[in-house]
Amino acid sequence: MTVAEYDDDFFLENGYWVAPCTNLDALEELQNKVVKLINEKVPDASNFSLSDVHNAVKKSDVNFLRMAVFSELNSDQNFRHNYFSLGKNYIEYLCGTELAANTKVNFSIQLPGDETSILPSHCDTFSGESSYQINLWVPLTNCFGDNSMHIFSPAATDKIIADMEGLEQQGLGSLFDTYIEGRDYVKLVVNFGQVVLFTPTVLHGNNL
């Protein structure tokens, strides 16, 4: 499927695309590198596939392991270029070719039932990110259900932000009861070999 076959209206209405990776060789190389790094840091992990590595990693060690992999990946001067290649065609279609990127590529690990790894619903623009950027999320395992990311539609995000002033006591978590109907809210299903492009202006996160 070419970029031109993707539905612009869908992106505008829902705030994201799930699309095939545009450089599978680079993706497989990245996955292999992460597996190697995890095996070096957690010797017992060598007996498991990446999707089963939670059987060897303790919750208390997740952040140490995440930061170790993050540091190693970003120490490679070619890493940002290779990462960009995973969604290059889509990013250039959406944004053009005169581009800038963050200096570091983030890395996260989500273990089953690990409440310490939860990233609550948020917009990246809340923390100063540009509203004109495009985010590229590249999972290294199949992601579905509670090991994936949720996204609220732009319309639902606008409603939620408008209602925030009255939710100081209840918190953002209370919004799920109101805004998870239909296409207002979706928990993405993303297979290895696919990437997600989304706007930083929509509420998104992960949850148990």
Side-chain angles (χ1 to χ4, degrees):
M1 181 176 288
T2 66
V3 176
E5 291 177 285
Y6 278 85
D7 189 341
D8 295 357
D9 291 334
F10 182 92
F11 189 90
L12 292 173
E13 182 179 348
N14 296 279
Y16 72 92
W17 278 341
V18 176
C21 170
T22 52
N23 188 345
L24 279 175
D25 288 341
L27 177 60
E28 290 174 355
E29 183 179 342
L30 172 59
Q31 186 190 53
N32 290 336
K33 186 170 185 177
V34 169
V35 169
K36 181 180 178 181
L37 289 170
I38 290 177
N39 287 341
E40 289 174 355
K41 304 299 179 182
V42 186
D44 290 343
S46 60
N47 297 320
F48 299 97
S49 66
L50 194 57
S51 59
D52 293 322
V53 76
H54 58 275
N55 291 311
V57 178
K58 298 177 181 178
K59 293 180 184 179
S60 58
D61 294 333
V62 167
N63 194 55
F64 165 78
L65 181 60
R66 183 184 72 83
M67 291 305 300
V69 175
F70 169 87
S71 298
E72 289 285 347
L73 291 177
N74 284 287
S75 67
D76 181 353
Q77 293 184 348
N78 295 318
F79 181 50
R80 284 201 306 160
H81 173 78
N82 292 338
Y83 191 84
F84 171 64
S85 74
L86 304 179
K88 178 179 184 292
N89 296 353
Y90 312 112
I91 294 172
E92 290 183 344
Y93 177 82
L94 291 167
C95 301
T97 57
E98 296 185 13
L99 301 168
N102 288 342
T103 57
K104 303 291 184 183
V105 176
N106 202 3
F107 179 79
S108 63
I109 299 173
Q110 175 101 12
L111 301 184
D114 181 12
E115 63 283 351
T116 66
S117 298
I118 297 303
L119 185 63
S121 290
H122 66 286
C123 292
D124 295 328
T125 50
F126 290 173
S127 57
E129 297 284 349
S130 170
S131 59
Y132 299 102
Q133 72 186 33
I134 290 293
N135 292 344
L136 174 65
W137 175 46
V138 182
L140 298 181
T141 63
N142 293 338
C143 292
F144 51 90
D146 290 338
N147 77 336
S148 187
M149 180 174 74
H150 66 259
I151 289 183
F152 286 91
S153 69
T157 296
D158 289 344
K159 293 177 186 177
I160 292 169
I161 291 175
D163 289 345
M164 275 187 178
E165 187 175 347
L167 291 165
E168 294 177 356
Q169 300 300 321
Q170 300 96 316
L172 273 177
S174 65
L175 296 168
F176 281 83
D177 294 335
T178 306
Y179 291 103
I180 61 174
E181 296 298 326
R183 296 175 72 178
D184 279 349
Y185 166 90
V186 62
K187 192 170 287 185
L188 299 178
V189 175
V190 189
N191 293 321
F192 177 73
Q194 294 181 307
V195 301
V196 180
L197 301 102
F198 65 99
T199 170
T201 60
V202 293
L203 286 162
H204 60 282
N206 56 24
N207 60 283
L208 293 175

